[in-house]
Amino acid sequence: MIKKRVLSGFVLSLTLLFSPIFLSAQSANVITYPAPSGGIPLSLDFNVTAGGRQVDVYSVKVPPRFIGYTPCPAYYESASMAYFDFSGTVNVQIVSAVPVSSVVVRPLSKNIQPTVNGNTITFSLSQPANLSVEINGDDRHNLHLFANPLETNAPSPSDPNVIYYGPGVHGNGGQILPGSGKTVYIAGGAVVYGTIWAQSNTTVRGRGILTGGKDVKCGGPGVGGENELVYIRGGSVNLEGFIGLDPAGWTFLIHDTDNLTIDNIKSIAWRGNGDGIDIVSSSRATVRNVFIRATDDTFAIKSDPYFMEATNRASENITIENSVNWADGAGHALAFMEQTTPYVRNVTMRNIDIIHSYVPPVFFECCGGGGEQYNITLDDIRVEDMRGDAVFQMNGPIHDV
């Protein structure tokens, strides 16, 4: 008897295409976070102000163009990243260190039409946005600009259930191991070197930076250990607001959970196998308002992959929405793959901007040992810069599409 491998019920709509500083103005409330000394170097490529307030700009590592699947690139490019919080309408001014012939602000769906005067770029924002500002067609030395909503309900440093990282530089690249029911809080202006491994019912939130910059991969100096920047297994998981940089492997691995919320996290990877968000053998998951730049699969739905401990839990009832996706390497923007469970079902991805993609952005592979994928909806997926030769790649017999 031949078992069917099925993808059914598929619906698609796709279009190619230290302490915070407060500034109150008539039209905007702006909060900036000074970069701590002794941490990530600052960029010399851009000067940024928001509502007239200086916004520190970090130098961040990104992969060489068209890296493919290269686990250990021989070199990296240096892009820039800045972040602030605001409400109201804020005027953003960016001064480029290089002459500006053209500028594109992605995602294009935001319809941001900047004014350019010499090397100065200006535009206004009235809603939170995670953006890539690209000068003269250069996506290797861009400015990642993360304009957050105002933070609410920040925890107290004295709360015994909170591992609190205030403004400054923390950690040496080792593992952070919060117990069940704990919150890891990374305040704006904090840079934390390390990886977070948690077993159940964990929250990681804040406005600061978690970086794997001191984690070793492929030899060289650094702290050894597991590669995921954030790995959480079991129970409820809440990730909100913070920035992940320089993972040595996958950026966010959520495994065997039954209640997941991810909101407004941002990440940038440069080393190979740098997946973005991997939702593995999990259910009741909502991901929204994220910006993920990955060197491997960016948003990946997996279910008991052959190389992981079996949970006998299928991935289902998952929504990813209102997000920016940059598939910056060998991986796919939206991937359904590495499944040995009988099914993956009830997955919706909607209102997603894929701003760059170098392989087919949508990938289905089903299934080791038989199985099916069904009730998959892709709605209002916009692909801006696609270098691959196809939108879809489907491996194995696929039926009832």
Side-chain angles (χ1 to χ4, degrees), residues 41-287:
L42 295 182
S43 172
L44 301 178
D45 292 341
F46 298 97
N47 182 281
V48 177
T49 61
R53 177 67 62 183
Q54 187 70 39
V55 180
D56 284 345
V57 182
Y58 295 83
S59 179
V60 295
K61 298 175 182 178
V62 299
R65 180 173 288 172
F66 310 132
I67 186 176
Y69 187 79
T70 305
C72 304
Y75 68 99
Y76 57 85
E77 302 283 1
S78 294
S80 301
M81 185 274 293
Y83 67 97
F84 62 92
D85 300 351
F86 81 105
S87 64
T89 299
V90 63
N91 185 65
V92 177
Q93 178 177 283
I94 301 167
V95 179
S96 169
V98 301
V100 178
S101 299
S102 65
V103 58
V104 174
V105 181
R106 301 182 189 275
L108 299 178
S109 65
K110 296 295 184 183
N111 196 29
I112 296 173
Q113 304 296 327
T115 298
V116 179
N117 183 7
N119 289 9
T120 301
I121 302 157
T122 58
F123 54 86
S124 63
L125 296 173
S126 57
Q127 297 290 332
N130 296 317
L131 307 172
S132 173
V133 181
E134 300 171 13
I135 307 297
N136 305 333
D138 185 357
D139 65 359
R140 295 303 97 183
H141 306 96
N142 66 307
L143 170 65
H144 306 80
L145 186 63
F146 303 140
N148 299 302
L150 297 179
E151 188 176 21
T152 59
N153 301 317
S156 168
S158 61
D159 188 329
N161 291 314
V162 175
I163 300 172
Y164 192 101
Y165 295 101
V169 179
H170 310 270
N172 64 358
Q175 287 186 353
I176 300 165
L177 302 171
S180 178
K182 299 291 186 179
T183 293
V184 179
Y185 181 74
I186 305 172
V191 174
V192 179
Y193 287 93
T195 59
I196 296 174
W197 275 55
Q199 287 300 310
S200 63
N201 301 323
T202 300
T203 293
V204 184
R205 57 170 297 205
R207 289 292 185 267
I209 297 169
L210 176 69
T211 173
K214 293 186 178 180
D215 292 341
V216 67
K217 184 172 185 175
C218 307
V223 177
E226 303 294 345
N227 286 334
E228 289 80 15
L229 189 66
V230 176
Y231 170 64
I232 300 178
R233 179 173 183 176
S236 298
V237 176
N238 179 38
L239 307 180
E240 189 272 324
F242 66 97
I243 300 165
L245 298 179
D246 201 1
W250 295 2
T251 310
F252 304 104
L253 170 54
I254 311 302
H255 185 207
D256 193 18
T257 69
D258 58 13
N259 188 7
L260 167 67
T261 301
I262 298 179
D263 188 10
N264 190 37
I265 60 171
K266 290 78 63 175
S267 70
I268 304 167
W270 76 276
R271 292 183 275 193
N273 199 222
D275 282 25
I277 298 174
D278 288 86
I279 300 176
V280 180
S281 303
S282 295
S283 61
R284 294 195 299 154
T286 300
V287 179

Side-chain angles (χ1 to χ4, degrees), residues 275-278 292-294 296-300 325-328 331-333:
D275 282 25
I277 298 174
D278 288 86
I292 306 295
R293 182 174 185 174
D296 210 326
D297 301 304
T298 310
F299 299 157
N325 178 308
W326 188 334
D328 199 15
H332 305 272

Side-chain angles (χ1 to χ4, degrees), residues 269-389:
W270 76 276
R271 292 183 275 193
N273 199 222
D275 282 25
I277 298 174
D278 288 86
I279 300 176
V280 180
S281 303
S282 295
S283 61
R284 294 195 299 154
T286 300
V287 179
R288 56 180 176 257
N289 306 320
V290 304
F291 180 108
I292 306 295
R293 182 174 185 174
T295 61
D296 210 326
D297 301 304
T298 310
F299 299 157
I301 309 299
K302 305 177 181 182
S303 199
D304 276 358
Y306 66 90
F307 51 84
M308 297 180 68
E309 177 187 350
T311 65
N312 298 314
R313 177 199 290 271
S315 288
E316 59 184 333
N317 304 324
I318 296 166
T319 299
I320 302 177
E321 61 186 356
N322 309 333
S323 293
V324 181
N325 178 308
W326 188 334
D328 199 15
H332 305 272
L334 312 177
F336 299 77
M337 59 190 298
E338 294 171 354
Q339 171 188 341
T340 63
T341 56
Y343 57 82
V344 165
R345 64 185 181 186
N346 303 338
V347 179
T348 297
M349 298 186 183
R350 61 183 171 226
N351 193 27
I352 294 172
D353 292 284
I354 301 171
I355 61 174
H356 298 284
S357 179
Y358 302 110
V359 299
V362 182
F363 179 69
F364 288 90
E365 182 178 57
C366 182
C367 304
E372 58 183 351
Q373 298 169 346
Y374 61 94
N375 290 349
I376 310 296
T377 300
L378 305 184
D379 182 24
D380 203 8
I381 310 297
R382 298 171 291 270
V383 185
E384 296 181 6
D385 175 29
M386 189 183 79
R387 306 298 177 91
D389 58 2

